[in-house]
Amino acid sequence: MPTLLLRLQGPLQSWGTRSRFDHRDTWPYPTKSGVVGLLAAALGRDRKEDVSDLAALRMGVRVDRKGVLKVDYQTAQNVLAADLKAKRDVQSWRYFLSDAAFLVGLEGERALLEALHRALKNPRFPLYLGRKSYVPSPPPYLPDGLVEAPLAEALEGYPYLLGGKPPEDLLLALEAEEGRLVYDQPAGPFSERRFAARFVREEVLPKERVPEGPPAWEVARVAH
């Protein structure tokens, strides 16, 4: 079964799973709902369109750099309350990851993965890392990202995104039949905001097993 690899790296990222009202959380690595949304944008799909084919892909993440968890505290004055009878001051806490880098893998049918690989190279809609203002840099597209290998093997065998050898062991999170429960599985078009549960198995990938290579953005520059 082939695997498509993409790089999610940028100054700011946020992958919410339990965000409610004034508190916007972030998962420590990309969520499936966030990645499926990014892929749908690359394909040019509207929020009302079906994404069941994308949601059926098996996903995994290699955490090449965890980043730093930070919070953006915001206030707004004289906001009209929900009962439409009074205005009030509003506070909000928006959590995000600073300077993180993730290698994401998606395992599935080759025809769909090939279409996604082409779309990531020339996306129809702007791509972002969890929030519209969080722009990826460098781009998610990897020229050598379509790999003829199962998910775990593809994630373990790709060179360290930041170049050289990783300074520490890496976290590997694979979609599995049991493990950590995450409510980020799209269960309908994004306009309906319906999500189901899935299991993620987390394990440690020793740094000695991660191939050494040039930074991924250098590979992309040479390829073009």
Side-chain angles (χ1 to χ4, degrees):
M1 185 76 71
T3 298
L4 176 64
L5 299 173
L6 54 149
R7 164 192 52 212
L8 299 183
Q9 181 179 348
L12 305 174
Q13 304 188 40
S14 185
W15 307 100
T17 58
R18 300 183 300 274
S19 297
R20 292 293 185 274
F21 306 107
D22 299 335
H23 288 79
R24 303 298 178 94
D25 74 321
T26 181
W27 202 245
Y29 46 80
T31 57
K32 190 167 188 181
S33 55
V35 172
V36 168
L38 183 147
L39 296 174
L43 290 169
R45 293 189 187 179
D46 184 86
R47 288 180 58 83
K48 295 181 180 180
E49 291 188 61
D50 179 41
V51 292
S52 58
D53 56 340
L54 305 180
L57 296 170
R58 181 171 174 241
M59 191 177 102
V61 180
R62 193 182 77 189
V63 181
D64 281 26
R65 186 161 62 198
K66 294 180 289 186
V68 179
L69 178 64
K70 296 187 176 183
V71 60
D72 183 16
Y73 171 69
Q74 300 180 4
T75 61
Q77 294 181 323
N78 297 322
V79 177
L80 192 63
D83 58 12
L84 302 180
K85 294 180 180 179
K87 292 184 178 182
R88 63 185 180 91
D89 294 344
V90 174
Q91 303 176 80
S92 66
W93 292 261
R94 298 168 184 254
Y95 292 84
F96 61 92
L97 301 173
S98 174
D99 204 27
F102 305 104
L103 179 69
V104 174
L106 298 152
E107 182 186 78
E109 295 299 326
R110 171 167 284 277
L112 177 58
L113 297 184
E114 288 177 345
L116 290 171
H117 196 218
R118 293 192 298 269
L120 288 170
K121 185 176 182 181
N122 296 291
R124 294 282 304 278
F125 296 152
L127 308 182
Y128 51 89
L129 305 177
R131 292 181 186 154
K132 291 184 179 180
S133 58
Y134 294 176
V135 180
S137 175
Y141 172 76
L142 293 170
D144 54 352
L146 190 55
V147 182
E148 192 60 48
L151 182 62
E153 182 180 326
L155 287 170
E156 293 178 14
Y158 196 81
Y160 184 54
L161 289 177
L162 305 174
K165 295 292 290 185
E168 58 185 4
D169 296 340
L170 306 182
L171 175 66
L172 196 63
L174 301 170
E175 193 168 329
E177 295 183 355
E178 59 181 22
R180 189 175 186 178
L181 195 62
V182 189
Y183 289 89
D184 68 346
Q185 175 71 29
F190 281 103
S191 60
E192 298 179 5
R193 300 186 62 81
R194 292 191 292 116
F195 302 98
R198 70 185 180 107
F199 289 107
V200 174
R201 185 182 76 248
E202 297 181 350
E203 57 188 62
V204 174
L205 176 61
K207 61 182 181 181
E208 294 79 12
R209 287 169 51 188
V210 181
E212 184 176 355
W217 59 84
E218 182 67 18
V219 174
R221 185 186 67 81
V222 173
H224 289 80

